[in-house]
């Protein structure tokens, strides 16, 4: 059969197969391939029987294979993206990517609608939990291995939501007004890097407008930047219904939009025919879009024999253990007075446990938007603790007099929490939870607070009352075991905050003016990004604002000392150059543990304003008690660049720089000078 139809031959090169199939398509069939057709097919495209083109199938989302888009199947629920980011572990996100790719394959889908790589501009964004960080460097460093992992299974990753989709309020109609430098340096940077280094096969356009133009018809963002400048070869699909408010069909076609989801609105066959016949777009442009779609179909093995494809698997013990390990590595110990943690199981008789979060499960159908993965089981914190202490310590839910009290508080995926389609109203816990913490702390000598949430939480009103705080995020299906393992010291926490935790909302960049033009938008729903490049810690450093907890912060049950620093060279000449920074690190405590060596760059002199420091490298190292190691952190000259609006490109200016080396953006232990040019 494949002799007369080379596109079916899985031994032939993909580009040749694409060219062959494209040449066989009628104009109408080309149009059919640009959208999903049929209201029952909201995650998949319609097959074209004449040519044996099967339905091309997508599934949400960032936490694994979501129930609503996988034929109502239960699948492994991985920790939230923000929790993966808090691990600062590239190898781990790669493993999670591989596992997610296998699960997608096992449910017979071809595209995973993840990762979400938007930047945390405001701590109120309801989808912060689905994204990595406020920092584009950390985002790209962790998204690159994740995308590679997914695609090694021949499943397309889909970078979303492109671009400047940084809030949920009015998400389908707001207009992000961002200057060119900020757009590239903060909001596009991770997209660009992932495109250049991981070659993602698909990108999802955003709902919102960017500088007056909707993402799905934004020629500057799609055709000129993503495709022409960065060389993106894959397909761009809309976010679901994102094309609805757009007026013209040709606007989307000429911008580079290749797939309209979840069904045809601008890309109805009739509308396409009319626009084409009236000469609003050329066949060449059409062919380019169709070619992209066919290419991704080929890459994901749509036309290949099953035995030629990687094997899928889901809900395996391996994936569940990985989900647990990832949850453990993401946990961030924020406070630990008098070394209350880890709890000593041998020396405790009674523990009292409090708060509704000890019994909450998060994996439910449609709960959490694109992250609604329902797992076959989900271990709550209470179940995790019960299993851990069984036969040794008595657990009393709500009991007052115990050796130690643990309070579980946080957010959930309901409106006003960590949720798609709405933002939070406040960065504080609700009054009921604050009173609970205070009451428990009053009744006990020692209190631990476990925070289960996906975004920054203000803690000033209660943190002084308690001894320990553990940021647990949303840890996926094994969260309860992971939390118990950290509380009892089977696992030494090594997570670091990927987000600044502000004391007050008004301390953060999008909220400093309190003017709706900055958030959530003026009467015309325009959101002005007036803070420019000063997002996240860049803002707190520039304005000298003391955060509750800085970006990169996280404690351990052991202690580390930074020794000497050596650079492999003190001068970088070209933007392709790299250097390595060798940093001596010693575990000076009594427990094995991991530390993240973080390298920030400071530019002494620049023709443009620059943040006081920017993350340019990091490495996580595990050390036994007393062990010393020289940790090598690779820095690329291109990561020292800023976006130069006079050249419309990235540039590194010759001059002197300093590396600031530490274990948070505010705990700098070493520095080293170097120059560029
Ligand atoms: C979300 C996307 C998601 C899509 C499909 C949209 O509402 O913004 O992240 O992938 O729905 O479920």
């Amino acid at each position: 059969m494949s002799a007369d139809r080379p596109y079916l031959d899985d031994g032939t090169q993909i580009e040749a197969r694409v060219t062959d199939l494209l040449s066989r398509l009628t104009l109408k069939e080309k149009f059919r391939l640009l959208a999903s057709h049929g209201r029952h097919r909201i995650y998949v495209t319609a097959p074209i029987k004449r040519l044996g083109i099967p339905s091309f199938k997508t599934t949400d989302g960032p936490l694994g294979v979501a129930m609503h888009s996988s034929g109502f199947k239960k699948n492994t629920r991985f920790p939230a993206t923000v929790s993966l980011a808090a691990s600062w572990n590239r190898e781990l996100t790669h493993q999670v990517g591989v596992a997610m790719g296998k699960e997608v394959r096992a449910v017979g889908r071809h595209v995973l609608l993840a990762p979400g790589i938007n930047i945390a501009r405001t701590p109120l964004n309801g989808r912060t939990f689905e994204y990595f960080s406020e920092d584009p460097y950390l985002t790209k460093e962790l998204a690159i291995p994740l995308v590679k992992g997914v695609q090694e299974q021949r499943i397309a990753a889909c970078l979303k939501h492109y671009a400047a989709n940084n809030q949920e309020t009015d998400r389908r109609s707001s207009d992000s007004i961002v200057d060119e430098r900020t757009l590239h340096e903060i909001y596009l940077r991770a997209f660009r890097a992932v495109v250049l280094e991981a070659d993602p096969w698909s990108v999802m356009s955003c709902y919102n407008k960017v500088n007056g133009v909707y993402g799905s018809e934004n020629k500057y963002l799609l055709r000129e930047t993503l495709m022409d400048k960065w060389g993106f070869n894959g397909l761009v699909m809309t976010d679901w219904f994102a094309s609805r408010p757009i007026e013209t069909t040709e606007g989307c076609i000429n911008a580079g939009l290749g797939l309209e989801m979840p069904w045809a609105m601008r890309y109805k066959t009739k509308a396409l025919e009319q626009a084409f016949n009236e000469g609003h777009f050329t066949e060449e442009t059409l062919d380019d879009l169709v070619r992209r779609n066919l290419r991704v179909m080929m890459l994901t093995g749509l036309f290949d024999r099953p035995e030629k494809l990687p094997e899928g698997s889901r809900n395996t013990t391996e994936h569940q253990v990985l989900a647990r390990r990832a949850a453990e590595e993401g946990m961030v110990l924020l406070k630990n007075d008098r070394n209350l943690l880890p709890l000593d199981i041998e020396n405790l008789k009674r523990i009292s446990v409090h708060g509704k979060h000890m019994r909450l499960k998060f994996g439910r159908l449609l709960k959490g938007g694109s992250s609604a993965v329902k797992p076959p089981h989900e271990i709550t914190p209470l179940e995790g603790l019960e299993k851990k202490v069984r036969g040794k310590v008595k657990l009393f839910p709500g009991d007052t007099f115990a050796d130690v009290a643990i309070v579980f508080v946080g957010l959930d995926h309901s409106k006003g929490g960590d949720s798609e389609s709405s933002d939070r109203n406040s960065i504080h816990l609700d009054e009921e939870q604050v009173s609970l913490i205070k009451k428990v702390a009053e009744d006990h000598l020692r209190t631990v607070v476990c925070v289960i949430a996906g975004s920054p939480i203000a803690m000033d009103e209660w943190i002084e009352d308690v001894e320990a705080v553990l940021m647990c995020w949303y840890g996926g299906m094994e969260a309860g075991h992971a939390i118990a393992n950290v509380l009892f010291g089977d696992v030494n926490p090594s997570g670091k905050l990927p987000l600044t935790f502000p004391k007050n909302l008004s301390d953060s960049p999008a909220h400093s003016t309190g003017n709706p033009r900055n958030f959530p938008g003026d009467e015309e729903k325009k959101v002005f990004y007036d803070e420019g490049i000063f997002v996240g810690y860049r803002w707190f450093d520039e304005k000298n604002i003391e955060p509750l907890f800085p970006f990169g912060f996280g404690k351990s049950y052991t202690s580390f000392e930074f020794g000497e620093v050596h650079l492999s060279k003190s001068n970088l000449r070209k933007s392709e150059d790299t250097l390595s920074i060798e940093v001596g690190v010693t575990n000076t405590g009594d427990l094995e543990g991991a530390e993240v060596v973080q390298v920030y760059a400071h530019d002494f002199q620049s023709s443009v304003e620059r943040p006081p420091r920017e993350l340019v490298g990091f490495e996580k190292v595990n050390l036994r008690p007393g062990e010393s190691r020289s940790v090598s952190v690779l820095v690329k000259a291109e990561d020292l660049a800023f976006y130069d609006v006079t050249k419309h490109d990235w540039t590194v200016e010759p001059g002197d720089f300093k590396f600031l080396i530490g274990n948070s953006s505010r705990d700098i232990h070493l520095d080293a000078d170097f120059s560029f040019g």
Side-chain angles (χ1 to χ4, degrees):
M1 176 155 99
S2 53
D4 56 337
R5 290 204 273 173
Y7 68 92
L8 291 175
D9 179 4
D10 55 27
T12 301
Q13 274 209 337
I14 282 186
E15 275 322 295
R17 295 170 75 188
V18 170
T19 304
D20 175 55
L21 180 50
L22 182 68
S23 72
R24 293 163 193 270
L25 293 168
T26 63
L27 195 60
K28 225 177 182 153
E29 283 166 343
K30 289 180 187 173
F31 292 155
R32 294 278 300 168
L33 284 170
L34 296 182
S36 167
H37 294 269
R39 302 217 157 191
H40 56 290
R41 291 195 193 96
I42 60 172
Y43 284 93
V44 305
T45 66
I48 297 182
K49 298 219 170 79
R50 184 181 77 86
L51 292 161
I53 302 179
S55 165
F56 183 55
K57 299 180 176 173
T58 71
T59 178
D60 277 319
L63 273 65
V65 178
M67 190 174 221
H68 59 262
S69 48
S70 66
F72 298 96
K73 294 199 173 73
K74 294 180 182 171
N75 301 300
T76 305
R77 183 176 172 89
F78 291 93
T81 314
V82 71
S83 161
L84 298 180
S87 76
W88 294 56
N89 185 336
R90 299 177 181 92
E91 178 50 34
L92 183 74
T93 61
H94 178 256
Q95 288 171 11
V96 169
V98 169
M100 284 183 181
K102 289 189 176 183
E103 299 235 345
V104 177
R105 177 129 330 268
V107 296
R109 304 257 152 172
H110 311 105
V111 185
L112 178 68
L113 303 173
I117 61 168
N118 294 104
I119 294 296
R121 171 176 182 254
T122 158
L124 296 185
N125 183 4
R127 298 187 85 173
T128 303
F129 77 103
E130 289 195 275
Y131 302 139
F132 289 87
S133 171
E134 66 190 24
D135 181 73
Y137 178 85
L138 182 62
T139 300
K140 70 149 170 129
E141 287 297 305
L142 298 174
I144 287 168
L146 193 143
V147 166
K148 286 186 176 167
V150 171
Q151 296 196 163
E152 280 157 19
Q153 308 313 308
R154 293 189 62 187
I155 294 298
C158 181
L159 294 188
K160 65 190 194 183
H161 310 86
Y162 185 70
N165 175 197
N166 309 104
Q167 64 182 57
E168 291 300 289
T169 310
D170 297 321
R171 67 172 177 161
R172 291 170 194 270
S173 50
S174 66
D175 185 0
S176 304
I177 308 293
V178 202
D179 67 83
E180 185 184 346
R181 177 178 172 201
T182 303
L183 182 63
H184 284 267
E185 206 166 302
I186 302 293
Y187 298 101
L188 298 189
R189 185 174 166 201
F191 283 98
R192 173 179 180 263
V194 180
V195 167
L196 294 181
E197 290 180 48
D199 187 21
W201 298 338
S202 65
V203 164
M204 186 187 287
S205 61
C206 58
Y207 284 123
N208 51 286
K209 296 178 191 167
V210 181
N211 294 327
V213 185
Y214 280 110
S216 307
E217 60 169 349
N218 201 311
K219 197 170 182 184
Y220 175 71
L221 284 179
L222 303 182
R223 178 62 67 187
E224 293 168 13
T225 304
L226 176 69
M227 294 171 177
D228 293 348
K229 214 161 187 178
W230 304 342
F232 174 72
N233 263 328
L235 73 90
V236 176
M237 70 179 81
T238 58
D239 198 342
W240 270 228
F241 301 105
S243 50
R244 188 154 45 196
I246 290 173
E247 273 159 30
T248 74
T249 294
E250 60 270 21
C252 298
I253 292 279
N254 289 322
L257 179 76
L259 186 60
E260 188 180 37
M261 297 298 283
W263 55 67
M265 285 173 284
R266 292 319 125 228
Y267 284 1
K268 286 195 173 113
T269 306
K270 276 220 162 81
L272 284 161
E273 265 167 1
Q274 190 183 341
F276 181 70
N277 291 336
E278 288 172 4
H280 295 308
F281 63 87
T282 63
E283 185 144 15
E284 197 188 344
T285 304
L286 173 67
D287 282 357
D288 171 69
L289 298 179
V290 175
R291 186 177 268 284
R292 287 167 183 274
N293 293 4
L294 297 178
R295 183 180 296 129
V296 182
M297 289 176 173
M298 295 285 175
L299 286 165
T300 57
L302 205 65
F303 299 91
D304 296 4
R305 286 163 295 165
E307 63 270 24
K308 294 278 283 190
L309 299 172
E311 238 180 80
S313 60
R314 60 191 187 94
N315 291 322
T316 58
T317 311
E318 195 191 340
H319 291 181
Q320 292 170 7
V321 168
L322 176 62
R324 196 203 67 228
R325 224 166 31 80
E328 290 165 352
E329 269 216 47
M331 263 179 246
V332 184
L333 182 63
L334 295 174
K335 178 172 180 177
N336 195 18
D337 281 1
R338 292 180 282 139
N339 292 333
L340 170 56
L341 296 178
L343 300 173
D344 181 355
I345 209 161
E346 307 302 332
N347 282 319
L348 281 173
K349 291 200 177 60
R350 295 153 67 94
I351 299 177
S352 68
V353 283
H354 310 257
K356 68 173 192 294
H357 280 73
M358 69 180 160
R359 292 198 174 85
L360 286 193
K361 295 191 183 191
F362 297 93
R364 307 232 307 265
L365 179 67
L366 296 175
K367 267 280 170 199
S370 79
S371 292
V373 180
K374 186 170 164 73
H377 70 254
E378 183 175 344
I379 309 295
T380 64
L382 184 59
E383 287 164 353
L385 284 180
E386 278 168 350
K387 178 145 186 244
K388 175 70 60 190
V389 303
R390 193 165 299 152
K392 295 195 166 161
V393 180
K394 287 196 173 141
L395 271 191
F396 294 94
D399 180 61
T400 42
F401 305 105
D403 304 329
V404 61
I406 309 176
V407 194
F408 293 92
V409 293
L411 302 171
D412 59 33
H413 297 318
S414 49
K415 201 170 157 36
D418 286 315
S419 141
E420 197 176 312
S421 296
S422 67
D423 290 320
R424 297 157 71 201
N425 312 315
S426 156
I427 56 170
H428 296 266
L429 293 174
D430 61 44
E431 274 176 31
E432 202 180 312
Q433 299 197 62
V434 172
S435 328
L436 176 71
I437 297 172
K438 287 182 153 299
K439 165 92 177 59
V440 171
E442 217 175 274
D443 291 343
H444 292 84
L445 278 176
R446 303 182 296 166
T447 302
V448 182
V449 175
C450 291
V451 182
I452 296 172
S455 22
I457 303 285
M459 302 179 184
D460 264 4
E461 63 273 47
W462 52 264
I463 194 163
E464 290 305 323
D465 301 349
V466 305
E467 280 65 40
V469 182
L470 183 66
M471 189 69 202
C472 305
W473 315 108
Y474 298 111
M477 65 187 295
E478 288 282 318
H481 288 323
I483 292 170
N485 284 346
V486 171
L487 290 176
F488 286 92
D490 306 80
V491 170
N492 189 348
S494 62
K496 303 280 178 180
L497 291 180
L499 304 160
T500 303
F501 276 33
K503 290 186 176 189
N504 304 297
L505 184 61
S506 58
D507 291 343
S508 48
H511 303 275
S512 69
T513 62
N515 189 329
R517 73 180 253 121
N518 298 131
F519 180 88
D522 67 10
E523 319 79 65
E524 291 170 21
K525 301 187 184 166
K526 288 195 162 96
V527 187
F528 292 86
Y529 288 33
D530 290 335
E531 70 284 354
I533 55 164
F534 295 101
V535 174
Y537 65 89
R538 289 166 170 79
W539 171 266
F540 285 78
D541 291 345
E542 174 71 13
K543 302 288 174 196
N544 235 324
I545 299 169
E546 181 77 16
L548 173 64
F549 293 110
F551 175 82
F553 177 80
K555 296 167 88 74
S556 166
Y557 296 154
T558 188
S559 50
F560 298 97
E561 243 174 57
F562 283 58
E564 300 211 335
V565 53
H566 295 288
L567 305 188
S568 61
K569 45 187 154 186
S570 57
N571 179 270
L572 286 164
R573 294 190 185 284
K574 299 190 297 285
S575 60
E576 307 81 66
D577 284 356
T578 59
L579 65 74
S580 80
I581 304 177
E582 307 289 328
V583 186
V585 185
T586 305
N587 180 346
T588 51
D590 299 329
L591 289 171
E592 181 170 344
E595 181 58 299
V596 179
V597 178
Q598 304 170 30
V599 177
Y600 297 83
H602 169 77
D603 189 353
F604 280 108
Q605 224 185 4
S606 169
S607 61
V608 297
E609 217 181 4
R610 300 208 69 178
R613 67 188 57 160
E614 292 183 278
L615 185 69
V616 294
F618 66 85
E619 212 54 59
K620 193 166 191 174
V621 59
N622 193 71
L623 298 170
R624 292 187 304 276
E627 188 182 353
S628 291
R629 211 174 305 160
S630 173
V631 180
S632 173
V633 185
L634 187 80
V635 175
K636 297 181 185 165
E638 65 183 37
D639 286 322
L640 307 167
F642 64 86
Y643 184 87
D644 184 346
V645 292
T646 64
K647 294 190 198 150
H648 306 293
D649 210 348
W650 289 84
T651 194
V652 194
E653 273 178 355
D656 295 332
F657 290 77
K658 191 192 273 297
F659 288 129
L660 304 161
I661 301 149
N663 53 357
S664 96
S665 61
R666 292 277 173 111
D667 291 295
I668 301 301
H669 303 298
L670 302 165
D671 58 47
D673 291 326
F674 74 103
S675 61
F676 180 83

